[in-house]
Amino acid sequence: MIAVPAVDLRGGKCVQLVGGDYDDERVRLDDPGAVAAEWVRIGFTRLHIVDLDAATGRGQNHDVIREILRDATVPVQVGGGVRDEARIERLLEEGASWVVVGTRAIEDEDWRREMADKFPGRLIIAADVRERKVVTRGWAETSQIDVIDFVSELSQLPLAGVLVTAVHLEGKMSGTDLPLMEDVAEASQWPVFASGGVTSLDDMRALEHRGLSGAVLGMALYTGALDARRLAEEFGA
């Protein structure tokens, strides 16, 4: 299983939010490119970039993402507000190894299938979840879609993976939702990456034991609650 540091972008800065609440920002760093480079220097071999502004329709951080991709020496997955073919294509051309698509992929089944067929093995479908219901549009809207049913429906598409974020635990450093992640891993044909609440090496080991392929980590790394070097040594590749 691989640990993937998150670089969440808001207003050109690297930030961390609690529980998906844009009014509860706990971390703000001025140079996202330097942050990304530091994670690689420590030993991580994959990065996760999210444009929070694009995800919520409040703007975009395209220039920052382009710079990170230009300088990256490890594979990078990029998401946040990716809702059309042109953006997927542009991110791949600029150096993203995978593109993470959420809201439109959830709401538009035809588009989801078309994009997966057009970019086989390059898309990761993101299902942000609160109490097992999928939430969209930057965590602002809760659907009636059960995440297990949704993940099961993805089995016929040529995806790179599925990313499931336990929004109700995001940034709270209280541990991840192990029953949810185990059920998702069992339901998925594709590698599953967990996000939300991962705080310790024990959390990582528990996720690995339950069949997860990786975990995206944010707050625990940025606050130092989790030793980045130890994490990279055990789960860096």
Side-chain angles (χ1 to χ4, degrees):
M1 192 174 86
I2 188 170
V4 187
V7 180
D8 295 349
L9 304 174
R10 182 184 188 188
K13 312 298 183 183
C14 175
V15 304
Q16 283 291 296
L17 308 178
V18 175
D21 185 352
Y22 279 72
D23 294 324
D24 198 352
E25 179 183 289
R26 299 289 177 88
V27 173
R28 173 169 284 253
L29 301 172
D30 288 337
D31 190 343
V35 172
E38 178 64 10
W39 292 136
V40 175
R41 189 189 69 78
I42 286 172
F44 294 101
T45 58
R46 182 165 174 164
L47 296 173
H48 178 77
I49 311 298
V50 182
D51 190 334
L52 295 176
D53 291 324
T56 58
R58 305 180 189 201
Q60 47 81 15
N61 294 274
H62 294 175
D63 290 344
V64 177
I65 292 171
R66 189 179 304 113
E67 291 174 5
I68 293 174
L69 290 174
R70 181 195 64 204
D71 297 335
T73 57
V74 300
V76 180
Q77 56 196 53
V78 182
V82 180
R83 292 170 186 152
D84 59 61
E85 180 180 341
R87 184 63 182 149
I88 295 172
E89 194 164 36
R90 183 68 178 270
L91 285 168
L92 293 174
E93 288 174 352
E94 290 175 348
S97 296
W98 307 277
V99 176
V100 182
V101 290
T103 294
R104 188 171 179 188
I106 291 164
E107 297 177 344
D108 188 339
E109 182 179 354
D110 291 340
W111 184 82
R112 178 172 75 225
R113 181 173 297 280
E114 180 183 354
M115 292 303 100
D117 288 341
K118 187 172 183 64
F119 303 102
R122 305 302 295 277
L123 298 186
I124 297 171
I125 301 291
D128 296 343
V129 180
R130 185 180 284 116
E131 304 304 331
R132 297 203 171 219
K133 298 297 183 183
V134 176
V135 297
T136 58
R137 302 187 181 278
W139 305 332
E141 298 183 12
T142 301
S143 73
Q144 293 304 307
I145 301 171
D146 179 87
V147 65
I148 305 304
D149 293 340
F150 177 71
V151 168
S152 298
E153 292 174 3
L154 301 178
S155 61
Q156 301 304 314
L157 303 183
L159 301 177
V162 178
L163 170 65
V164 175
T165 298
V167 174
H168 50 294
L169 297 174
E170 183 77 4
K172 296 184 177 180
M173 295 194 295
S174 58
T176 192
D177 190 333
L178 289 175
L180 167 67
M181 297 305 175
E182 182 175 22
D183 289 348
V184 171
E186 289 180 354
S188 177
Q189 172 76 17
W190 309 112
V192 176
F193 295 83
S195 179
V198 181
T199 307
S200 66
L201 290 174
D202 284 343
D203 286 341
M204 292 291 293
R205 294 164 186 150
L207 288 168
E208 183 175 42
H209 180 69
R210 286 162 174 79
L212 278 292
S213 296
V216 175
L217 298 99
M219 192 71 78
L221 286 176
Y222 285 93
T223 61
L226 184 53
D227 187 309
R229 292 185 184 281
R230 286 190 60 194
L231 179 65
E233 287 172 2
E234 187 169 346
F235 295 102

